[in-house]
Amino acid sequence: GYEAYEPMIKLSWEPNTELQQRFEFKYGYSDLDADETYTGLTESDVRRHPDWRYAATRFDNIQTEHHRTYLKYVVKPSDNFRVETAGYYSEFSRNWYKLDGATGDTFSNVRSALLDPAGQAFLQGQGAGTGRVRANNRDYELYGFQIAGDYSFEIGSVKHALHFGARVHRDEIRRFQRDDRFVQDGTGELVDFITGEEGSGGNRLQESTAIALWLQDEITMGALTVTPGIRFETIDQEYIDYASDSTNTRRGNGEDSIDYVAPGVSFALDLTETGQLFGGIFKGVSVPGPRSSVRSGVDLEESIGYELGLRTQKDTGFFGELVWFYSDFDNLIGTDSGFGESNTETNAGEADVWGFEGSLRHDLLEGSGSDLSMPMYVSATWTNAEFDSELANGGGDGIYAGATSGAEIPYIPDFQFAAGVGLQSDIWGANFDLTYQTETFGTAQNFDDPVDTAREGKIDDLLLLDISAYYQVSDNVKLIGGVSNLMDERGIVSRVPRGPRTNQGRAFWMGAEFDY
């Protein structure tokens, strides 16, 4: 039920000239055919049979095709001046044919069916109901041109490293979807199937054209480096809604533009030969889609991010870092895409995210005189992520709906931890990696268990162990392999789009690398 192909070719040429220059071309293709579904399982089934699929998802399948390419030219007129130009193009088509609705005497959608005995019987192929299967047929296209450069110079004892660039970009999304329906009787037998008209499941076009300019100056004054930067972008957006059929009759349209300026500044101060104090303040921006912005008036999501940290790096290979971070969000964008019916974005209020992150890296056999190395790492992050408005009045049917001030933002665990150790020689090696994260909530209402829909409830804490190994057969051939989730730990990792689902179980993989 899963096939994927992804060939890629990359060519480069450096002319034998006094002027340093390089031409680079890349083309990649991807093709996917997978019997994958949006629909999860009931609470009891996901615990007992995490890899089950319900009979009502028998038609679910996704097919995608992706072409992507770029042509790049890099020239270095002098040691302190470098310019890179690139043109790029990407075309992606996909059709996810999947169970999108379920109706019966006591249930009205897939999420409510998961909490209803009659709905569960319908999903499991043992009861009556009507299923809507949507062909989420969409085409995406983007292309553009970018020029970026680096220029370094000195004024007295002050060093400057300028980074600058400009980009012209255009993208569009064309959806031409179809809704089919099937009817199932009380025994679970399929008694009718109705093919809908093309366009009946959504028929619209969204386009954006953007021009972006950026400039950054890395200024070094002895032990202190200060890096101010700024980005300006203007985006012209347009949408067209067509009738929900194959006539492509315009039902509504609009256009508008968005401009924003995003400044930032960072610093790094060398305290000793191995120790450094660093920090920064940055503005972040998330742009709503054309239809949400123009038609629904959704504003830019904006944030101000702060960080302050200490790091040390020694010649022995030891590295350590501790960072405090804080982000203040305004006009947080929430979406019910994949959760409800309208697939719209809304501004969901304010939020604060802050915490600490630390990491260590070291080779435990460094300086021992051994031919072996034993690299290890440890990293941990503690995060406090809460809504800061009395009511996050956006999100519609999405996971932000119903949030109140002080509610935890869903899907952001309080604590995350990762650690690993390896043992390596010139021809072989093995690695052990451990990850852990605490439980979190599935919605901003912070319910421990499902109340109204299957998207509510907890996301489980998980402790996972992976192992991998390699063997260098020759200078050109390396064998690789490993086991993911060695202990076969399972837990709910998502309750969206429609119902809980678990992480992957124990999985074995192997392969080979050829280098010529």
Side-chain angles (χ1 to χ4, degrees), residues 77-132:
S78 63
D79 291 340
N80 64 333
F81 186 37
R82 178 180 180 274
V83 178
E84 178 181 298
T85 59
Y88 58 90
Y89 177 82
S90 176
E91 179 184 284
F92 180 74
S93 300
R94 62 99 151 175
N95 190 356
W96 199 337
Y97 192 64
K98 62 186 187 298
L99 183 68
D100 196 61
T103 55
D105 292 339
T106 57
F107 55 93
S108 58
N109 54 49
V110 176
R111 290 168 293 110
S112 63
L114 287 165
L115 304 181
D116 179 84
Q120 293 171 16
F122 165 75
L123 293 173
Q124 295 165 1
Q126 300 171 352
T130 299
R132 184 180 73 242

Side-chain angles (χ1 to χ4, degrees), residues 217-253:
D217 188 8
E218 187 177 298
I219 307 168
T220 302
M221 300 167 286
L224 175 65
T225 298
V226 179
T227 308
I230 191 168
R231 177 185 178 90
F232 167 77
E233 187 163 11
T234 179
I235 308 170
D236 293 328
Q237 298 182 313
E238 180 181 2
Y239 83 92
I240 301 174
D241 282 349
Y242 300 99
S244 297
D245 52 36
S246 59
T247 64
N248 286 330
T249 303
R250 287 199 180 195
R251 191 178 59 185
N253 67 282

Side-chain angles (χ1 to χ4, degrees), residues 103-175:
T103 55
D105 292 339
T106 57
F107 55 93
S108 58
N109 54 49
V110 176
R111 290 168 293 110
S112 63
L114 287 165
L115 304 181
D116 179 84
Q120 293 171 16
F122 165 75
L123 293 173
Q124 295 165 1
Q126 300 171 352
T130 299
R132 184 180 73 242
V133 187
R134 172 163 291 177
N136 270 107
N137 181 38
R138 303 180 188 178
D139 295 315
Y140 303 78
E141 184 181 46
L142 66 86
Y143 54 90
F145 176 79
Q146 175 177 302
I147 181 169
D150 305 295
Y151 179 63
S152 59
F153 60 95
E154 296 183 17
I155 301 177
S157 60
V158 180
K159 299 179 180 179
H160 294 262
L162 286 176
H163 308 279
F164 57 88
R167 174 187 292 178
V168 179
H169 172 92
R170 181 174 176 83
D171 61 52
E172 69 174 49
I173 304 172
R174 180 70 170 97
R175 65 173 70 190

